[in-house]
Amino acid sequence: MTLRLILAFSILAFTAVAEAQCRFDPLDRGRVVKISGAELPAALAMPLSDLSIMRVEKGRFVPVAYQFDEMDQKGMVWFEGSGFELAGSPGHLDVADQLLMMLTDAGPRAPEGFKPDQGQVVAGLTVADDCHFYLVRGNDARSDNYYVAHDIASGETRTALYQLDVDPDNELNWHYLGYRGYQGEGSIIDTLKMRMSAGVLSRFTRMTLDNHNLRPKRVGFSVGPIRSVMHLRTRVVLAGIPVMTIQVQAMRYASHYEAHTYAKIPDLYRATLKEPEVSVTVDGNDQSGAAVYTANFVDNPVIVDGKADDQAFANQTLPMDANWILFDSKRDFALLTHLTVPEALMNTPLALIYQDDASLAVEPEQFHGQLPNLGYSLHGWPQPEELRFTVSLYFEDGLKGFAADEFARQRSAEVPVHVSQ
């Protein structure tokens, strides 16, 4: 299937909402419904190839885009080359597996006794304002709609809403981000930046690794109708000491991007490395006039102006349970970032990174200056031996009349699903 054809399907899929006869909120466009196999007990152990998702449309069951991803023992999408064990039986629905659909593909409730032309309904899935999907077994019909077109070889991603181009040899190096309707010039961002630093034996002998050193190697990938997943592995070496292996899964969706990170920290390196810090930021490209909000600055955002004079904002710590950062370009593009960690890491110290300085150089970068560079910094080793966190980047054309905190809450919230057998 060609990139152009996939993108055409992507655009058509967004227009199908009108026929679904469901009411959706302004922020529902591009939202993904995600449900685990554990929530579908009637379908457990069934072959994934026998299962599909349908909705009611014009008096009959029709197929919609969906995706099953089999998961590994670490809670990531399973790839043979990752070295992680599959959580369950290959090719069959297990409790850890994930089913994904687009929220706006849901349709009206099926009338009592209504059945598909082929196969049988295994479960009904209710979402949003009385909108419905149906998990069906034994129906051969499949939707041709794809919401994500991701060319692994070139690093190009196209959806109906955004364009993302990255270095195909280094996922960390973003070259271009564009958004439909954006009123600015060129790429919205400069690049993505990841850093890891620590003192070796002493906090005074500090070393830092960045995009140039943290060169992730791709060990697996898949491109589905709802999301693409790349599994990347990078070995962290400081002063010749192999510290750890970081596993990252980069996921592209119709209207957002996620990076899931996992690393196991040997006790030896806890003692060897002092005051470790891991940071992930997005560097904006000439976003003067944009407003930036956090939970601590809901009503008084800072305005990007290229001057390093917002120290009260830049020096804030972030509560782990409300760590969102909202960037509104005022040019029909908004970016919401959200950091997610497991319960065991909720007490990990977290700081905001905010640099608004037109003269400051922070490599790597395509364009001089930080306008602005914003993101997160995790400090210290967590008590558990495993470090896990997910950074989510949500793309929108604006705040749609919502207050910053309400926008952040609704845009990042998971879609609730009620399952009926």
Side-chain angles (χ1 to χ4, degrees):
M1 185 176 292
T2 67
L3 182 66
R4 181 178 298 177
L5 187 57
I6 293 175
L7 185 56
F9 285 148
S10 173
I11 295 171
L12 286 172
F14 273 104
T15 64
V17 176
E19 294 188 16
Q21 299 176 3
C22 280
R23 293 193 308 161
F24 297 105
D25 293 332
L27 296 180
D28 285 341
R29 181 185 62 173
R31 293 186 69 191
V32 174
V33 177
K34 187 183 299 182
I35 186 169
S36 71
E39 299 171 88
L40 300 168
L44 287 176
M46 290 183 180
L48 295 176
S49 59
D50 287 353
L51 298 172
S52 63
I53 296 295
M54 309 188 83
R55 73 169 182 227
V56 174
E57 181 180 316
K58 296 181 178 178
R60 58 191 297 263
F61 278 99
V62 299
V64 299
Y66 71 95
Q67 183 170 340
F68 281 108
D69 282 331
E70 296 186 270
M71 308 301 287
D72 63 34
Q73 297 282 2
K74 299 300 182 182
M76 306 178 91
V77 176
W78 180 74
F79 294 98
E80 186 174 1
S82 69
F84 296 152
E85 292 185 19
L86 177 67
S89 177
H92 293 75
L93 183 65
D94 298 295
V95 294
D97 293 342
Q98 290 184 350
L99 167 63
L100 301 97
M101 303 86 72
M102 299 302 299
L103 175 58
T104 50
D105 271 344
R109 183 189 301 273
E112 190 70 28
F114 198 61
K115 297 179 180 180
D117 295 336
Q118 180 187 24
Q120 61 183 13
V121 173
V122 178
L125 313 175
T126 304
V127 297
D129 184 15
D130 194 29
C131 297
H132 304 269
F133 294 102
Y134 293 90
L135 179 63
V136 176
R137 182 180 190 182
N139 192 298
D140 296 332
R142 296 291 185 270
S143 170
D144 289 325
N145 288 342
Y146 264 65
Y147 285 90
V148 179
H150 180 194
D151 188 326
I152 301 291
S154 68
E156 298 178 358
T157 301
R158 304 291 186 274
T159 78
L161 294 176
Y162 71 88
Q163 172 183 342
L164 174 63
D165 298 338
V166 308
D167 180 351
D169 297 320
N170 190 339
E171 175 72 9
L172 298 176
N173 293 333
W174 288 20
H175 294 160
Y176 179 87
L177 175 66
Y179 191 84
R180 188 179 69 181
Y182 172 61
Q183 298 301 307
E185 297 291 333
S187 176
I188 298 171
I189 56 95
D190 186 337
T191 193
L192 188 70
K193 298 181 180 181
M194 186 171 183
R195 275 179 163 68
M196 182 172 183
S197 65
V200 181
L201 299 178
S202 164
R203 63 187 178 89
F204 299 108
T205 55
R206 197 163 189 85
M207 297 192 66
T208 299
L209 304 179
D210 59 20
N211 292 27
H212 297 304
N213 314 106
L214 296 170
R215 296 187 62 85
K217 177 183 178 182
R218 188 174 71 242
V219 297
F221 72 90
S222 65
V223 180
I226 309 300
R227 69 179 174 191
S228 74
V229 184
M230 295 176 60
H231 191 109
L232 308 162
R233 180 189 295 137
T234 184
R235 301 188 185 280
V236 179
V237 179
L238 287 169
I241 302 173
V243 177
M244 69 178 75
T245 297
I246 298 178
Q247 312 262 15
V248 176
Q249 289 199 339
M251 301 182 179
R252 291 157 168 81
Y253 296 82
S255 65
H256 79 282
Y257 178 100
E258 292 179 359
H260 298 248
T261 300
Y262 169 89
K264 187 173 182 179
I265 308 165
D267 288 338
L268 172 62
Y269 304 132
R270 288 177 182 269
T272 303
L273 301 179
K274 308 299 181 182
E275 299 183 3
E277 177 181 340
V278 178
S279 66
V280 180
T281 62
V282 179
D283 185 4
N285 175 29
D286 192 17
Q287 294 296 317
S288 296
V292 184
Y293 306 77
T294 67
N296 299 321
F297 289 79
V298 171
D299 299 318
N300 52 334
V302 296
I303 304 301
V304 178
D305 59 6
K307 302 175 183 177
D309 55 4
D310 299 307
Q311 293 309 305
F313 187 89
N315 293 334
Q316 66 181 293
T317 57
L318 296 176
M320 193 64 81
D321 59 355
N323 61 51
W324 56 268
I325 307 168
L326 177 56
F327 166 90
D328 182 6
S329 71
K330 305 296 186 180
R331 288 180 277 181
D332 294 337
F333 175 79
L335 168 67
L336 173 70
T337 72
H338 184 247
L339 181 73
T340 307
V341 299
E343 187 64 32
L345 301 184
M346 287 297 288
N347 293 323
T348 304
L350 179 66
L352 172 74
I353 294 178
Y354 180 76
Q355 297 168 319
D356 178 15
D357 189 336
S359 63
L360 179 63
V362 179
E363 293 293 333
E365 58 183 17
Q366 301 178 84
F367 312 107
H368 186 72
Q370 312 304 300
L371 289 165
N373 186 35
L374 55 84
Y376 303 98
S377 177
L378 287 158
H379 294 273
W381 297 127
Q383 284 301 112
E385 67 175 7
E386 295 180 332
L387 174 65
R388 299 170 184 258
F389 63 89
T390 298
V391 177
S392 301
L393 309 177
Y394 300 94
F395 310 137
E396 280 288 347
D397 53 16
L399 274 58
K400 301 183 184 298
F402 290 98
D405 52 352
E406 183 62 15
F407 178 95
R409 185 189 68 79
Q410 289 201 32
R411 188 63 183 84
S412 62
E414 293 189 2
V415 178
V417 183
H418 174 71
V419 180
S420 57
Q421 306 299 328

